[in-house]
């Protein structure tokens, strides 16, 4: 009994200290929770038995802390969003976080993570979207984060890409491309996504930014495997379109059906045009900045990288450079690629 009381008092004191820090720092939101795949992962896969981990050089080449498990040369999108929301530090990965940190935010994202449970299973251990939500439930309950606080937190989700890259467009052991048409597969994914969003809503999520899937057919990996090595794989991009369309509709459905829900859709697909990239200063859009060995996706360990990563969209054969991440985060914050709310407005609501 005494031990339980001590633990409760410790959590209360910690929450008070955190609340005081928030007020002093002027954070736009009291806490920030991150869900998703390698685009958002900041180190959760480091401790897993998986080939989908990047805690080695040249990853982190332009990040002050070096290789941390971020799938980029520098900051990822949640890192930049945390800065925009005026957090004093980046959101910690779940695998190294304490219960107390659930009062300010935790990153649950896992490289290879998908909506479907079997997605990326060939890579080894992966934390699926469903398991990420389960981890979130455990953390906020252990930390006793009050629901009124959870209602004010920011939640960002980037999931779905691996359900195409490491499932639908892969050979055995995956059979989804034989069972589903493009539209049927998108419908199946959205049904599961809807169920997971409802779980998050029940756990207190109200301010939620849902990121769509980008033009996967234009990644160096898919150009090589499905585009004949010569231009974007049109088939892959076509498959992703109904998913994005249905996901945006799902966001609006949540806002209609739940009066206190403030969900927004972040469009990563539409703005990926050669002209837009050129105007933003990118000069190489179809090749990786780091050295990737034939048939591989990730950077080769300690091999040469391009001299100007800021001119490249892709760091490896799938994941973007810090420069590209910055473009997305800024556009989401200002509302250029969001609907109906910008992240800036979402924080104020």
């Amino acid at each position: 009994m005494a031990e339980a009381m001590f633990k409760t008092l410790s959590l209360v004191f910690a929450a008070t200290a955190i609340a005081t820090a928030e007020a002093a720092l002027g954070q736009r939101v009291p806490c920030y929770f991150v869900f998703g795949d390698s685009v958002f992962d900041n180190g959760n896969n480091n401790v897993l038995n998986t080939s989908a981990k990047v805690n080695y050089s040249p990853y982190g080449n332009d990040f002050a802390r070096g290789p941390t498990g971020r799938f980029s040369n520098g900051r990822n999108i949640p890192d930049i969003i945390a800065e925009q929301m005026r957090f004093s530090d980046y959101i910690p990965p779940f695998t190294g976080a304490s219960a107390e940190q659930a009062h300010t935010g935790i990153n649950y994202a896992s490289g290879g993570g998908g909506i479907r449970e079997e997605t990326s299973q060939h890579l080894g251990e992966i934390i699926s979207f469903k398991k990420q939500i389960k981890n979130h439930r455990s953390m906020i309950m252990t930390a006793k984060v009050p629901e009124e606080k959870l209602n004010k937190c920011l939640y960002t989700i980037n999931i779905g890409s691996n359900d195409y890259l490491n499932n639908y467009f892969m050979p055995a052991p995956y059979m989804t491309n034989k069972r589903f048409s493009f539209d049927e597969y998108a419908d199946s994914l959205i049904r599961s996504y809807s169920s997971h969003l409802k779980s998050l809503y029940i756990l207190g999520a109200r301010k939620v930014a849902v990121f769509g899937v980008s033009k996967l057919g234009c990644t160096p990996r898919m150009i090589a495997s499905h585009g004949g090595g010569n231009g974007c794989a049109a088939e892959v991009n076509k498959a992703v379109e109904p998913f994005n369309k249905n996901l945006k509709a799902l966001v609006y459905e949540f806002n209609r059906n739940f009066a206190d829900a403030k969900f927004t859709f972040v469009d990563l697909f539409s703005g990926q045009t050669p002209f837009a990239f050129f105007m933003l200063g990118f000069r190489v859009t179809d090749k990786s900045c780091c050295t990737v060995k034939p048939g591989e996706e990730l950077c080769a360990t300690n091999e040469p990288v391009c001299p100007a990563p800021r001119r490249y969209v892709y760091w490896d054969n799938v994941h973007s450079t810090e420069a590209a991440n910055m473009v997305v985060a800024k556009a989401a914050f200002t509302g250029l690629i969001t609907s109906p709310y910008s992240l800036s407005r979402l924080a104020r609501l």
Side-chain angles (χ1 to χ4, degrees):
M1 175 73 95
E3 184 181 347
M5 185 174 289
F6 176 76
K7 187 177 286 187
T8 301
L9 285 171
S10 297
L11 289 169
V12 169
F13 286 132
T16 303
I18 289 163
T20 303
E22 286 168 4
L25 291 168
Q27 286 174 198
R28 296 178 189 270
V29 289
C31 35
Y32 175 27
F33 297 104
V34 180
F35 301 84
D37 52 31
S38 52
V39 176
F40 279 12
D41 187 357
N42 65 345
N44 284 310
N45 278 20
N46 292 351
V47 300
L48 301 182
N49 182 20
T50 179
S51 59
K53 64 173 74 176
V54 291
N55 53 344
Y56 61 88
S57 179
Y59 290 96
N61 259 18
D62 301 300
F63 191 65
R65 301 173 193 180
T68 57
R70 289 165 169 82
F71 288 70
S72 187
N73 60 310
R75 293 167 295 170
N76 63 17
I77 293 168
D79 292 330
I80 300 163
I81 291 173
E83 292 174 353
Q84 293 167 334
M85 295 295 158
R86 299 176 185 159
F87 281 81
S88 60
D89 200 357
Y90 302 124
I91 305 302
F94 162 75
T95 51
S98 66
E100 288 178 7
Q101 287 174 303
H103 285 275
T104 51
I106 293 174
N107 185 327
Y108 302 98
S110 171
I115 298 167
R116 295 179 67 93
E117 286 297 300
E118 83 274 10
T119 289
S120 301
Q121 64 179 353
H122 66 286
L123 299 175
E125 287 183 291
I126 297 295
I127 309 172
S128 67
F129 191 21
K130 182 179 180 180
K131 289 173 185 171
Q132 291 175 33
I133 295 170
K134 184 179 179 181
N135 291 338
H136 177 59
R137 180 187 294 111
S138 174
M139 290 299 273
I140 61 174
M141 287 185 174
T142 301
K144 294 181 169 60
V145 184
E147 185 172 351
E148 57 268 26
K149 182 173 186 177
L150 292 168
N151 293 167
K152 298 173 183 174
C153 299
L154 176 66
Y155 301 75
T156 58
I157 306 166
N158 187 91
I159 202 85
S161 295
N162 287 307
D163 294 290
Y164 288 93
L165 292 173
N166 292 322
N167 192 322
Y168 194 80
F169 283 104
M170 281 205 82
Y174 307 104
M175 303 296 290
T176 48
N177 61 352
K178 292 181 173 60
R179 292 174 50 206
F180 299 105
S181 67
F182 292 167
D183 287 338
E184 288 168 345
Y185 192 57
D187 288 343
S188 171
L189 292 176
I190 294 299
R191 279 195 299 273
S192 297
Y193 209 137
S194 177
S195 175
H196 296 326
L197 286 181
K198 284 172 185 171
S199 296
L200 277 176
Y201 180 87
I202 291 168
L203 293 173
R206 297 296 182 270
K207 301 181 178 185
V208 183
V210 177
F211 284 64
V213 172
S214 65
K215 286 187 178 176
L216 300 178
C218 297
T219 60
R221 169 183 161 178
M222 298 311 275
I223 288 173
S225 65
H226 288 74
N230 186 24
C232 298
E235 177 194 27
V236 178
N237 288 339
K238 186 178 179 182
V240 166
E241 287 189 63
F243 174 84
N244 285 330
K245 179 184 175 184
N246 294 353
L247 185 58
K248 184 176 181 179
L250 180 63
V251 163
Y252 277 81
E253 181 184 318
F254 262 81
N255 289 341
R256 281 195 310 271
N257 294 342
F258 302 96
D260 56 347
K262 299 292 183 287
F263 284 37
T264 197
F265 175 73
V266 184
D267 181 2
L268 299 181
F269 190 96
S270 301
Q272 282 188 268
T273 66
F275 178 74
F277 283 139
F278 184 83
M279 293 303 293
L280 289 165
F282 296 104
R283 295 296 178 264
V284 184
T285 63
D286 58 351
K287 294 181 177 62
S288 65
C289 174
C290 73
T291 300
V292 179
K293 292 181 179 177
E296 297 293 321
E297 175 181 311
L298 303 177
C299 300
T301 307
N302 293 318
E303 290 292 326
V305 300
C306 67
R310 68 186 179 279
R311 292 183 172 271
Y312 280 67
V313 172
Y314 294 102
W315 176 242
D316 58 25
N317 271 4
V318 169
H319 307 100
S320 48
T321 58
E322 181 184 73
N325 291 336
M326 177 68 80
V327 168
V328 170
K330 283 185 175 180
F333 187 75
T334 59
L336 285 174
I337 58 173
T338 61
S339 180
Y341 309 111
S342 66
L343 296 196
S344 175
R345 187 174 173 213
L346 203 60
R348 298 194 303 270
L349 291 172

